[in-house]
């Protein structure tokens, strides 16, 4: 038996209080994974997670996920999983997007600039 009680979370309502150009906050953990909410009005940097897949679930607006060879659009209610090690960057399709991400807690993030500085990236 645990001391934890179920907690209802409303990401869309929470996101309305976030006014910065980019904000990524933890909403909780499920086993060894973390659920994060990302609210963005601008593009995020090229990066990869070598030790974790990353799933994006659209909540509000549209999220564009760019890859070196193309891009895809995640709309509210849709989700996609980016495999571990895949270089990508995200940006809102319009003025603002809200999405949930699911990845291993403590997952490492390597930015494309770091890859180039170590001589092993494309970017």
């Amino acid at each position: 038996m645990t001391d934890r009680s179920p907690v209802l979370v409303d990401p869309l309502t929470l996101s309305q209080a976030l006014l910065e150009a980019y904000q990524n906050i933890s909403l909780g953990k499920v086993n060894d994974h973390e659920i994060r909410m990302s609210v963005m009005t601008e593009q995020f940097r090229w990066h990869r997670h070598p030790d974790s897949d990353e799933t994006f679930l659209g909540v509000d607006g549209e999220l564009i996920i760019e890859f070196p060879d193309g891009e895809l659009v995640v709309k509210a209610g849709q989700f996609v999983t980016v495999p571990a090690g895949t270089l990508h960057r995200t940006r809102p399709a319009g003025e603002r997007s809200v999405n949930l991400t699911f990845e291993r807690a403590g997952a490492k993030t390597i930015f494309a600039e770091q890859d180039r500085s170590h001589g092993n990236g494309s970017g």
Side-chain angles (χ1 to χ4, degrees):
M1 196 107 159
T2 66
D3 292 337
R4 298 184 320 165
S5 297
V7 176
L8 186 63
V9 177
D10 183 341
L12 188 54
T13 299
L14 286 173
S15 74
Q16 293 166 352
L18 304 177
L19 304 175
E20 294 179 30
Y22 177 81
Q23 201 152 11
N24 191 338
I25 62 170
S26 178
L27 297 181
K29 291 187 177 181
V30 177
N31 300 316
D32 65 342
H33 280 65
E34 186 168 24
I35 302 167
R36 303 186 69 75
M37 180 177 63
S38 175
V39 178
M40 57 177 33
T41 61
E42 61 185 31
Q43 181 172 275
F44 193 67
R45 296 163 36 195
W46 284 102
H47 67 284
R48 62 186 177 86
H49 308 283
D51 56 351
S52 180
D53 292 344
E54 183 175 24
T55 297
F56 295 86
L57 171 65
V59 173
D60 191 35
E62 294 181 350
L63 175 71
I64 296 174
I65 304 175
E66 295 179 78
F67 304 96
D69 60 352
E71 65 183 35
L72 53 87
V73 178
V74 181
K75 298 177 182 181
Q78 297 180 325
F79 76 89
V80 64
T81 299
V82 175
T86 302
L87 186 65
H88 64 286
R89 70 178 172 185
T90 55
R91 63 182 165 88
E95 291 184 21
R96 185 172 192 262
S97 71
V98 179
N99 68 86
L100 299 182
T101 58
F102 304 80
E103 65 187 355
R104 183 171 292 125
K108 186 174 184 178
T109 299
I110 297 176
F111 292 101
E113 312 82 66
Q114 292 172 301
D115 275 344
R116 282 194 298 275
S117 70
H118 291 89
N120 60 353
S122 54

